[in-house]
Amino acid sequence: MPKAAKPGVRLDLPQRPRRLRRTAAIRALVRETSLSPAQLIQPVFVIEGGSGAAPEPVASLPGVSRVPVGRLGAHCRELAKLGLGGIALFPKVDPKRKDALGREALNANSLVLRAVREAKSAAPQLPIFADLALDPYTTHGHDGILTKRGDDVDNDRTVAILTEMAVLHARAGVDFVAPSDMMDGRVGAIRRALDTAGHETTGILAYTAKYASAYYGPFRDAVGSKRAAGQAPISKATYQMDPANRREALREALLDEAEGADILLVKPALLYLDIIADLRAHSPLPIAAYQVSGEYAQICAAAERGWLDLPAARDESLLAIRRAGADMILTYFASACARDGQ
Ligand code: PBG
């Protein structure tokens, strides 16, 4: 028989936060943040190929494969069944179709536009987000076209191309265009172009605070926007934000709101939770966060070595992003997370 504690050992504590952690049911009652498939958007890489073509695994993104466009319909029906909040489409374009001006971006029958039509007809209720930027189409891998001197991305000429791209995507059936290029003034220009073309119901998810991050590496492998082996990776520092800056994200948010953005996005996510919380506090608009390829890859890599428990680390990372204030998350974990929750 254990002896009863001596009276003097009991603390005189009216406040005992542990009372609310005593059982699973009580913890569920007081949980402040939830995670559900409807809040998750799955990025999907598409390649050319019919329904018989094999998906191509991406080595630096374990569990992620590029999907042949002929298989995309079936793939989207699966994702819709999981109750996901949508897909974000990214094409891997044949290098032969790339040039310095990214002309393929304006081909009305380009891979991504065929993918949009395929996805929309197969799973009409699944929201489609389409990235707007020129990096899948340019030989140099930048998100826009270069200035005459070739030493920077030309803002206004790039915006002109993005507005045309936006209209093509809207016509193909996307629910949201997602400019990820970080050019100044592009949200307003895209809004006007969409409205003029009669696409006033197509939304804009603006990459509001997209940082010049080292964590996009595996994505650039997936879409082939990295420079050839041996060459230094390109720097996007003249358009993507400096990771040192916090207030500047608010400035970008104010501009995107004023220009007509429907959703504001922060990217990457886990290293930028302060930015997500800032935008949540300052904007009435829905906030999205992009858990990028490098964030995904580092969790997978540690789990492969047995150093982290994958589902637990994954769910904790997504919950943290939601807790910081994101309404929705673009994440390569989306479908696995939804499947595990079933
Ligand atoms: C390109 C784009 C990038 C990502 C999404 N859109 C890469 C880049 O800016 O170089 C990165 C996504 C990821 O790393 O998962 N406009």
Side-chain angles (χ1 to χ4, degrees):
M1 277 288 279
K3 276 201 224 151
K6 286 192 217 122
V9 172
R10 287 278 163 235
L11 297 171
D12 178 18
L13 278 185
Q15 301 274 2
R16 287 185 183 266
R18 287 186 56 194
R19 282 183 209 121
L20 296 180
R21 301 179 200 136
R22 203 164 51 81
T23 70
I26 295 171
R27 289 193 294 275
L29 282 173
V30 299
R31 189 158 296 136
E32 298 173 37
T33 310
S34 65
L35 191 60
S36 87
Q39 300 152 343
L40 304 179
I41 296 165
Q42 176 75 48
V44 176
F45 298 111
V46 276
I47 50 175
E48 294 290 354
S51 55
E56 284 177 7
V58 183
S60 51
L61 288 174
V64 174
S65 292
R66 304 182 191 98
V67 182
V69 63
R71 282 175 173 259
L72 189 65
H75 188 63
C76 288
R77 277 192 292 272
E78 285 295 306
L79 296 176
K81 253 191 245 152
L82 290 170
L84 290 179
I87 55 168
L89 283 175
F90 297 97
K92 178 170 194 276
V93 175
D94 179 348
K96 289 199 285 290
R97 298 199 157 267
K98 298 187 185 190
D99 60 28
L101 298 176
R103 286 198 190 89
E104 178 64 12
L106 298 182
N107 172 358
N109 206 30
S110 70
L111 171 61
V112 73
L113 295 175
R114 280 179 280 128
V116 170
R117 292 193 283 265
E118 194 71 33
K120 229 344 138 195
S121 67
Q125 71 284 20
L126 184 69
I128 303 178
F129 296 80
D131 205 73
L132 294 188
L134 291 183
D135 56 307
Y137 305 103
T138 53
T139 35
H140 43 71
H142 277 291
D143 288 16
I145 57 178
L146 303 183
T147 55
K148 297 246 149 58
R149 288 178 57 195
D151 58 353
D152 198 3
V153 169
D154 185 322
N155 192 90
D156 298 11
R157 285 167 67 222
T158 298
V159 170
I161 299 171
L162 295 173
T163 59
E164 287 187 52
M165 257 179 109
V167 172
L168 288 171
H169 280 79
R171 199 176 291 152
V174 302
D175 297 273
F176 290 86
V177 290
S180 69
D181 55 289
M182 290 302 279
M183 295 300 117
D184 293 332
R186 90 284 205 210
V187 171
I190 289 169
R191 185 69 272 158
R192 279 190 295 281
L194 289 174
D195 291 352
T196 306
H199 296 293
E200 65 282 344
T201 58
T202 305
I204 301 177
L205 175 143
Y207 281 72
T208 292
K210 175 173 178 180
Y211 286 85
S213 171
Y215 287 74
Y216 305 148
F219 174 95
R220 292 179 191 171
D221 289 339
V223 301
S225 67
K226 231 178 208 170
R227 285 220 162 178
Q231 290 191 296
I234 59 173
S235 165
K236 299 190 176 182
T238 71
Y239 44 106
Q240 298 180 348
M241 282 179 56
D242 184 338
N245 291 359
R246 182 169 181 176
R247 294 191 312 268
E248 193 186 352
L250 281 181
R251 184 178 189 210
E252 288 282 4
L254 291 171
L255 287 168
D256 285 354
E257 280 183 356
E259 292 178 27
D262 297 287
I263 302 172
L264 306 180
L265 181 135
V266 176
K267 172 181 179 184
L270 278 181
L271 294 170
Y272 296 84
L273 296 179
D274 54 338
I275 311 301
I276 296 172
D278 281 356
L279 295 204
R280 172 68 299 145
H282 285 89
S283 177
L285 291 181
I287 306 296
Y290 196 147
Q291 183 179 48
V292 300
S293 56
E295 300 181 271
Y296 172 88
Q298 64 183 355
I299 292 174
C300 293
E304 271 173 18
R305 294 186 162 208
W307 293 351
L308 284 177
D309 176 64
L310 183 72
R314 172 194 74 202
D315 292 357
E316 184 177 335
S317 72
L318 295 171
L319 202 57
I321 297 165
R322 291 264 305 132
R323 190 192 62 232
D327 299 287
M328 65 195 90
I329 307 173
L330 282 81
T331 172
Y332 301 94
F333 286 127
S335 57
C337 193
R339 262 185 213 109
D340 285 0
Q342 279 180 338

